[in-house]
Amino acid sequence: MSLSYEGTIPSRPRYGQLTPRPGSGHLFVADGEGADAILALFAGPGAKGMLATTQIVYMPGPTGTDKSAELEKLGADIFFRAPDYSTAQPRLKRLFGSAHMGLQLYLTGTEGLIGQAQRDAIEAGLPHTAMQTEHRGSTVRRVQCVHCKGITENVRTDPFVCSHCGLNLFVRDHYSRRLAAFQGVNIDAEDPGQVPPQVERFA
Amino acid sequence: MGIEFNKETFRDDYTFKNSPAAVRRFPFPFPEDDYMYSVNMEPHVPGRKGSVFEHTFDVDEHYLAEMRDRELVLKSDPLRCQSLPHMTLAGWDLLELIMESKARDYPHWFELHKSGDRWTWINRPMEIEQSFTFLKDDTLPYGPLEYITRQTQGDFTLQDQRDNTLYIDAGTVTTQADWSLDFDVGMAFHEWHAPVPLAHNMGVFDRALKFLLKLQLGSPVRRFNWTMTVDPLLDTSPENYPKWGPSKTTLTMDTIGKRQHLRVELQTLHRLPRSNAIAFPIRAYLASFDDIVTMPKWGRRLHRVVRDVHPDLATYKGFIRNRDLMVQWLSQYDDGKPTSPGWWPEPE
């Protein structure tokens, strides 16, 4: 699934396509269908020689896609599978924090995964010029409720019910890189109870 | 100088009111009978005596009540004031700018005494006397940004300049027109303006950014923005939208004159000396429709602006549902006569 940016706003993140770049090391962070972007990169020219200095941190996607076996077969120096991002996070923070000059970072999969890894990498001081992103797989969103500040992962419908405070929220395209989240705003604040039917906008 | 500070509230019983003098100096934001976005920036130089432009930072009859309201907001939600770690120096720059301006412009209320880097600040209306060491963080009870903005009307954001853009990396925001500092802090210029309709395609933000990147120390600029607010509520935050949103549904022809307020932001931009950041004070002024129509020119003009404004703007500014009611009420004050250019009131 690819994203269309038509009709969207400038804070909404855009993604590219991963390509091999020269570097002292290569760290891939991916979930779900992001595995396909990594496999495609290593199937292409100029990547085979990178494997000896490549580490892959991978977790299943929000819809259950798990391509660990195929990634493991690639033969990277280190392959690590985590059950989800919050489990992978301490390991990633350590890797980002001890990164050597010239490390290349490749982030691919869902927007939630890319956004969180990007946020943690920037916080650790990695230059944005050393990061590439490619969106693959599910378009479900990570959304922050602007009212209670709780984050709901894997939002599929618009509007949706905040998993923390229970308000009905509509999903904006307005996006915070610092929070790695889109913004959710109460849809029936002015007319309590008048909530339009939920539409599956993200799958 | 005999301003008495109002005893008033911006919440609950809403006892806020403008004196006739405050209405006369209200910064009515429409120089013409119609409105569309523009960069509309001009030098922030001292304006007419008694006007809101007379001084760099306007202090008016609402000062103490606004500071009390800010205190209440920060108490319930400390995240309304945030400063990313690299912005402390910009906070000191802002503190210096405000203290020096107020001590110069309002010497009967504010004094600043310096002995090397030992400074003493006196704020008589708020009964504060504070000695501290300039640029030494632990000599003030709050960070420099929070300290000075707890004593200064209007919201403030601080923009860091790098990578050929501006980043909104600090601010105190308690009187906002429905945007969240907590969500937007750290964003680049085009990102935090992203939700504004129409203006991106008009190139307004590209031009504004280009202009601001070249803003010079000592040459501040200003512009207006405006929106509509039901009841004199300063804290129209998205955080609290479920609390204030319902007020929009309760206006009637009998109550709209008293309850519907035109909210005008006097926005100024100042280059800061040490950090090279840009300070962006956003000062909100409220006037009820009843206040506005005491100036016949403003009554006529506001009717025409609200009637003809682009529906996307009315939606973004949050008054589309009451627009027809506003037009109906305001039409009583529009006799169709021409209005003179500019926004000065010309009382008749």
Side-chain angles (χ1 to χ4, degrees):
Chain A
M1 179 132 11
S2 69
L3 294 168
S4 160
Y5 301 124
E6 205 154 305
T8 188
I9 63 174
S11 58
R12 196 238 182 287
R14 270 91 166 145
Y15 308 95
Q17 192 178 357
L18 302 186
T19 53
R21 277 195 198 153
S24 59
H26 305 273
L27 175 57
F28 290 77
V29 185
D31 72 351
E33 284 82 353
D36 296 330
I38 300 178
L39 294 168
L41 179 138
F42 281 102
K48 283 283 183 290
M50 289 166 39
L51 275 172
T53 52
T54 287
Q55 172 160 197
I56 299 172
V57 176
Y58 180 73
M59 55 221 82
T63 53
T65 306
D66 185 352
K67 304 199 172 190
S68 302
E70 289 163 72
L71 282 181
E72 204 167 357
K73 268 190 274 172
L74 265 180
D77 183 37
I78 302 171
F79 173 79
F80 178 76
R81 181 189 180 280
D84 57 22
Y85 189 79
S86 56
T87 314
Q89 194 181 33
R91 183 185 181 102
L92 288 173
K93 282 191 166 174
R94 193 188 148 108
L95 290 172
F96 297 152
S98 57
H100 291 291
M101 191 81 141
L103 177 81
Q104 293 292 319
L105 183 59
Y106 307 79
L107 310 173
T108 178
T110 61
E111 296 194 80
L113 176 280
I114 295 172
Q116 292 178 87
Q118 204 165 27
R119 174 201 60 199
D120 291 341
I122 289 168
E123 264 174 27
L126 266 69
H128 63 89
T129 48
M131 292 177 212
Q132 296 182 62
T133 60
E134 179 171 343
H135 177 260
R136 289 269 186 147
S138 172
T139 60
V140 294
R141 288 188 173 187
R142 184 177 145 88
V143 183
Q144 190 205 39
C145 170
V146 74
H147 313 295
C148 80
K149 309 287 183 182
I151 286 185
T152 303
E153 304 280 352
N154 304 327
V155 170
R156 291 166 195 285
T157 65
D158 186 12
F160 74 103
V161 177
C162 175
S163 60
H164 305 276
C165 69
L167 285 174
N168 292 287
L169 306 179
F170 70 94
V171 182
R172 300 179 79 188
D173 276 347
H174 199 33
Y175 181 87
S176 163
R177 282 177 292 108
R178 195 180 59 90
L179 300 168
F182 289 91
Q183 189 175 60
V185 180
N186 190 197
I187 197 168
D188 59 338
E190 296 181 23
D191 306 282
Q194 288 186 35
V195 182
Q198 295 188 341
V199 176
E200 183 157 316
R201 273 183 65 201
F202 321 111
Chain B
M1 231 166 48
I3 292 190
E4 295 224 4
F5 297 110
N6 298 351
K7 284 200 171 41
E8 60 190 359
T9 56
F10 297 91
R11 56 181 66 212
D12 304 324
D13 56 353
Y14 292 114
T15 58
F16 163 88
K17 61 175 186 336
N18 285 311
S19 67
V23 175
R24 271 195 304 279
R25 74 197 296 277
F26 182 74
F28 188 74
F30 306 112
E32 296 166 334
D33 284 357
D34 54 20
Y35 174 80
M36 194 11 120
Y37 288 126
S38 62
V39 178
N40 68 330
M41 274 186 274
E42 61 175 22
H44 185 43
V45 291
R48 289 188 198 183
K49 197 165 163 45
S51 75
V52 300
F53 301 136
E54 184 181 359
H55 302 305
T56 306
F57 296 95
D58 183 40
V59 180
D60 69 7
E61 65 187 30
H62 307 295
Y63 179 43
L64 293 182
E66 286 188 28
M67 293 302 94
R68 172 68 186 145
D69 198 70
R70 166 154 297 158
E71 187 187 341
L72 293 174
V73 175
L74 288 173
K75 213 168 177 175
S76 68
D77 184 0
L79 295 179
R80 301 300 189 83
C81 176
Q82 295 194 42
S83 179
L84 299 185
H86 60 281
M87 295 305 282
T88 307
L89 183 61
W92 282 108
D93 276 334
L94 177 69
L95 175 142
E96 177 190 51
L97 174 67
I98 293 175
M99 286 185 177
E100 288 187 341
S101 302
K102 284 186 168 179
R104 178 192 66 225
D105 295 338
Y106 302 93
H108 50 300
W109 286 335
F110 305 99
E111 289 176 30
L112 180 62
H113 302 283
K114 296 183 187 174
S115 168
D117 58 2
R118 288 294 295 165
W119 293 17
T120 297
W121 165 247
I122 297 170
N123 175 341
R124 280 205 190 84
M126 291 183 74
E127 298 175 357
I128 291 169
E129 179 168 342
Q130 175 82 45
S131 293
F132 61 98
T133 306
F134 186 63
L135 298 180
K136 201 152 185 298
D137 299 348
D138 59 5
T139 61
L140 284 175
Y142 304 99
L145 167 68
E146 178 165 0
Y147 180 78
I148 197 59
T149 56
R150 279 176 178 267
Q151 300 179 44
T152 309
Q153 288 164 277
D155 285 347
F156 285 79
T157 64
L158 296 174
Q159 276 67 229
D160 191 33
Q161 183 162 333
R162 58 182 195 272
D163 309 333
N164 224 20
T165 187
L166 298 169
Y167 290 87
I168 181 168
D169 283 346
T172 299
V173 176
T174 66
T175 68
Q176 67 280 257
D178 202 10
W179 67 279
S180 169
L181 174 74
D182 182 45
F183 193 80
D184 288 2
V185 69
M187 287 189 187
F189 189 81
H190 282 80
E191 291 176 324
W192 89 76
H193 288 111
V196 182
L198 307 174
H200 289 276
N201 291 339
M202 293 165 60
V204 167
F205 293 121
D206 293 333
R207 287 202 300 280
L209 177 61
K210 207 171 155 186
F211 180 86
L212 292 176
L213 290 174
K214 290 188 224 150
L215 187 67
Q216 297 294 310
L217 183 65
S219 304
V221 296
R222 65 182 172 229
R223 67 182 293 266
F224 284 134
N225 200 0
W226 65 278
T227 188
M228 295 285 184
T229 304
V230 177
D231 299 324
L233 175 66
L234 283 175
D235 180 25
T236 48
S237 60
E239 279 82 358
N240 287 331
Y241 177 47
K243 292 179 196 153
W244 56 264
S247 65
K248 293 190 206 171
T249 65
T250 57
L251 290 181
T252 65
M253 276 293 273
D254 292 332
T255 61
I256 186 170
K258 182 176 189 306
R259 293 187 62 200
Q260 181 65 60
H261 289 70
L262 175 62
R263 180 190 194 104
V264 175
E265 293 177 352
L266 171 59
Q267 306 179 339
T268 56
L269 294 126
H270 310 255
R271 178 69 71 188
L272 297 175
R274 297 169 191 78
S275 58
N276 197 42
I278 291 180
F280 185 44
I282 309 160
R283 171 69 182 276
Y285 293 87
L286 294 165
S288 67
F289 275 19
D290 281 343
D291 286 342
I292 298 280
V293 300
T294 61
M295 304 294 163
K297 171 177 166 182
W298 291 354
R300 288 185 189 110
R301 182 165 287 169
L302 187 61
H303 170 247
R304 297 168 198 178
V305 168
V306 173
R307 182 190 62 199
D308 301 334
V309 76
H310 193 295
D312 287 0
L313 286 191
T315 302
Y316 173 67
K317 290 177 185 290
F319 66 90
I320 191 81
R321 78 181 295 149
N322 287 317
R323 176 189 176 139
D324 290 348
L325 185 67
M326 291 176 182
V327 171
Q328 192 188 347
W329 190 87
L330 287 166
S331 68
Q332 306 170 88
Y333 300 91
D334 186 358
D335 53 15
K337 283 191 186 151
T339 56
S340 60
W343 54 267
W344 301 100
E346 302 177 320
E348 288 165 44

